[in-house]
Amino acid sequence: MTTFDDILEEAGKFGRCQKRIFILLCMVSMPWAGVYVGIVFQGFTPDHWCRDPAVVERREACGWNLAESRRLTVPLGNSSGQQSSCEQYEVDWNATELTCDNQELEDLSRTPTTSCKHGWEYDYEGRRSFVTEFDLVCSNAWLVDMFQATLNVGFLVGSIAIGYLADRFGRKMSFLISNLLNGVAGILVAVAPNYISLLVFRTLYGFGVKGGWVAGYVLITEIVGVEFRRTVGVIYQMFFSVGILILPLLAYYITDWRWLQVVITIPYILFLSYYWFIPESPRWLLSQNQNSKAVKITEGMAKENKMTLSKNIETLKDDNADSTTASFMDLIRTPNMRKHTFILSYNWFTSAVVYQGLIMRLGILGGNVYIDFLISGLVEFPAAFLILFTIERIGRRLPFATANFVAGVSCFITAFIPDSMFWFKTAVACIGRLGITMTFEMVVFVNTELYPTFVRNLGVSVCSTLCDVGGIVAPFLLYRLAVIWLELPLIIFGFLAFLAGGLVLLLPETRGVPLPDTIDDIEFPEK
């Protein structure tokens, strides 16, 4: 029986056709960076203080600057010595001797204070965020976290739902449906009239973004030869880092969060044109016994690659597929499938917790937000090149486990380096960031290599939901445990990464191994 891998030998393992599709699908990773971390710019919280209408009126009449009017409105913090952002003097300024020429009033330190009654004023710095628009500061500051939490809820539900659709109705169809949803939901986010509707639309946005990205990833890995899977997988993810480099440039020039949202969403609308430019996965079509369609697409690929098929392509089929419909039970029914699902899910969770935890801890150097983002994107590129250099020479399992161990050791060491050795401590933490970035990028394509075709998309989607859970847990682990001991989160991160590395060593090596088509290929690999 002729298999699809046999046909790829003649149709071209990574010819012109696959390269064209690969380039098109890599574009999908870039706007995802804007969706995932755009909150840093869209949810920017500038310096703010209580608004006093009487003082604002005097400022406009007298031509005072913000600092002069702020001094009259805002008391100093009790312990910080800095001006409060959430309290104001309780003074009837119309009953005082305040004039345009007389701003020197008696000492206000004994004047009663109260919480902000008339909203806030913001030092905009030329920026408009949803924080300033909806006054999400002081007692309402926690609502900003909901902007990211609802996105992760959408990721969590959407990756499973769209993963199922991709295995049931095809990679291409689920990819296009996801982008249609992304385009609609993204624009709704941009025009949301209030914060509640914004959170609802944000959830819908997350529902489609991640599922569509995973469908594209699975599609490209299924149409290239075995030796090219790791390269396309890593580079596909590396374009997320390219998106991180582009995002601060966009945010620098687009200072209104709503217009930035529109610009981030436009690519998803353009991706709908892929209907005419990318095919369905022939490998998936075979798993669904749609042989004629698979043959037609494969012949088209060979023609575009300027290759000639000599094998009897009409015998191209997948008679050993044990099911044409994927279900969650397929992921846990048999011993090896169950082991793969547990280990991969845990690695998704650990990667998200440690990756985001280290970023939040470092604050990406805590300086200029635009420079910080550029640096954070550049830090991820060495990880991709290290993977590309080692993955085919050494294999998947050892670099995957080693990256986890490096991240774990770095976290442990960083926790015990004194603060006086700031640069050394920062450098070790960056090594940990490099290790966990490698882990994050490797878990995706290792995940695809350890599931059979008919359940591959669902398997990746289900396991990656633990990434979303990790994204929700990470800030709580960091900030709550830091109250007990500042370095305690690093100890937890180190333990999680070490355990993940040990579990990876229990997985089979997949270097040079054809993608499995059936559950029997997973349970009886030597057969």
Side-chain angles (χ1 to χ4, degrees):
M1 182 186 70
T2 304
T3 67
F4 184 68
D5 287 311
D6 295 331
I7 295 298
L8 274 181
E9 293 282 346
E10 295 186 350
K13 296 181 180 180
F14 194 51
R16 179 179 176 181
C17 178
Q18 288 101 324
K19 290 175 182 177
R20 173 180 60 80
I21 297 170
F22 174 58
I23 292 172
L24 289 174
L25 290 176
C26 279
M27 299 299 105
V28 178
S29 291
M30 292 195 290
W32 192 21
V35 175
Y36 194 61
V37 295
I39 186 175
V40 175
F41 302 105
Q42 294 175 297
F44 176 68
T45 302
D47 198 12
H48 55 279
W49 59 93
C50 296
R51 181 179 185 276
D52 190 311
V55 174
V56 171
E57 183 179 345
R58 295 291 179 89
R59 182 180 70 215
E60 294 174 350
C62 301
W64 297 340
N65 58 38
L66 289 176
E68 289 172 330
S69 62
R70 183 179 184 182
R71 180 178 59 83
L72 298 173
T73 309
V74 183
L76 295 177
N78 293 330
S79 58
S80 64
Q82 298 179 342
Q83 290 180 304
S84 172
S85 297
C86 303
E87 292 184 328
Q88 67 179 81
Y89 291 122
E90 195 167 12
V91 177
D92 181 3
W93 294 106
N94 293 319
T96 67
E97 298 179 356
L98 180 66
T99 65
C100 292
D101 299 323
N102 179 26
Q103 298 179 40
E104 300 300 326
L105 300 180
E106 61 185 33
D107 184 14
L108 296 172
S109 61
R110 298 181 182 275
T111 304
T113 61
T114 183
S115 58
C116 300
K117 296 180 177 180
H118 305 285
W120 289 263
E121 290 192 89
Y122 299 92
D123 188 356
Y124 280 91
E125 299 180 355
R127 180 168 303 283
R128 185 187 181 209
S129 68
F130 65 78
V131 171
T132 62
E133 181 173 338
F134 299 116
D135 282 338
L136 303 181
V137 293
C138 297
S139 62
N140 291 326
W142 67 275
L143 290 171
V144 178
D145 300 337
M146 295 298 295
F147 185 79
Q148 199 70 357
T150 52
L151 179 73
N152 278 278
V153 170
F155 284 167
L156 187 66
V157 178
S159 59
I160 295 177
I162 294 177
Y164 173 79
L165 292 176
D167 284 325
R168 184 71 178 84
F169 300 105
R171 286 38 168 152
K172 179 178 177 178
M173 183 60 65
S174 63
F175 174 80
L176 294 173
I177 291 174
S178 296
N179 284 288
L180 177 61
L181 177 60
N182 297 341
V184 173
I187 297 300
L188 288 175
V189 169
V191 299
N194 54 62
Y195 197 59
I196 297 298
S197 61
L198 175 63
L199 295 181
V200 173
F201 298 147
R202 178 77 166 168
T203 305
L204 294 175
Y205 200 30
F207 186 91
V209 169
K210 184 180 177 183
W213 184 87
V214 173
Y217 181 93
V218 172
L219 173 58
I220 188 59
T221 57
E222 288 185 341
I223 63 174
V224 300
V226 172
E227 61 269 40
F228 294 101
R229 291 201 311 255
R230 53 93 182 182
T231 302
V232 300
V234 172
I235 295 178
Y236 184 81
Q237 296 174 80
M238 193 171 68
F239 271 77
F240 179 89
S241 299
V242 175
I244 288 181
L245 296 179
I246 295 174
L247 180 61
L249 300 177
L250 292 175
Y252 182 80
Y253 291 103
I254 305 173
T255 57
D256 189 311
W257 75 273
R258 292 183 183 272
W259 282 110
L260 181 59
Q261 174 65 34
V262 170
V263 171
I264 293 172
T265 302
I266 286 175
Y268 290 111
I269 298 174
L270 297 178
F271 293 153
L272 293 174
S273 65
Y274 284 15
Y275 176 84
W276 292 280
F277 301 113
I278 64 173
E280 181 55 86
S281 166
R283 199 183 294 269
W284 175 82
L285 289 170
L286 288 173
S287 74
Q288 302 297 301
N289 293 320
Q290 299 184 39
N291 295 9
S292 60
K293 292 182 180 179
V295 167
K296 182 178 180 180
I297 290 173
T298 306
E299 289 176 335
M301 291 171 58
K303 182 178 180 180
E304 186 173 347
N305 291 338
K306 301 185 185 306
M307 305 291 285
T308 302
L309 298 177
S310 60
K311 290 185 172 66
N312 184 7
I313 194 172
E314 298 302 327
T315 66
L316 181 61
K317 55 184 178 180
D318 190 15
D319 290 335
N320 293 325
D322 30 10
S323 175
T324 59
T325 302
S327 74
F328 174 77
M329 291 305 298
D330 292 317
L331 304 179
I332 59 175
R333 181 179 292 115
T334 55
N336 281 344
M337 289 287 285
R338 188 161 52 245
K339 179 180 71 173
H340 295 175
T341 299
F342 171 75
I343 294 176
L344 292 168
S345 295
Y346 179 79
N347 269 271
W348 275 104
F349 175 81
T350 298
S351 297
V353 170
V354 181
Y355 179 83
Q356 294 189 39
L358 289 179
I359 289 178
M360 288 186 292
R361 178 180 173 79
L362 291 174
I364 311 299
L365 304 182
N368 185 296
V369 66
Y370 306 103
I371 300 300
D372 290 347
F373 252 77
L374 288 172
I375 292 174
S376 72
L378 292 172
V379 165
E380 297 185 2
F381 282 98
F385 291 121
L386 281 172
I387 293 173
L388 292 174
F389 181 76
T390 62
I391 205 70
E392 210 58 46
R393 293 174 174 84
I394 301 174
R396 274 69 159 152
R397 183 171 56 184
L398 188 58
F400 193 5
T402 301
N404 270 303
F405 290 141
V406 167
V409 170
S410 298
C411 288
F412 283 133
I413 294 176
T414 303
F416 294 101
I417 298 176
D419 292 336
S420 58
M421 303 175 66
F422 174 76
W423 290 112
F424 179 57
K425 190 166 187 170
T426 300
V428 175
C430 285
I431 294 175
R433 166 77 187 279
L434 180 66
I436 203 62
T437 299
M438 286 185 64
T439 298
F440 225 148
E441 294 184 353
M442 291 191 69
V443 70
V444 181
F445 70 82
V446 171
N447 205 155
T448 64
E449 294 178 341
L450 289 174
Y451 283 123
T453 301
F454 78 98
V455 77
R456 184 170 297 123
N457 208 106
L458 179 63
V460 174
S461 298
V462 169
C463 292
S464 67
T465 58
L466 270 294
C467 172
D468 307 321
V469 175
I472 296 172
V473 168
F476 293 97
L477 277 179
L478 180 68
Y479 297 122
R480 301 303 175 187
L481 295 181
V483 174
I484 302 173
W485 177 37
L486 185 61
E487 310 297 353
L488 182 56
L490 288 177
I491 303 298
I492 302 300
F493 296 158
F495 172 78
L496 292 173
F498 250 97
L499 180 57
L503 290 173
V504 166
L505 294 176
L506 300 178
L507 294 173
E509 178 57 63
T510 58
R511 181 183 62 160
V513 178
L515 284 173
D517 291 316
T518 70
I519 289 180
D520 281 347
D521 292 339
I522 299 293
E523 297 301 321
F524 310 103
E526 303 299 328
K527 184 176 179 181

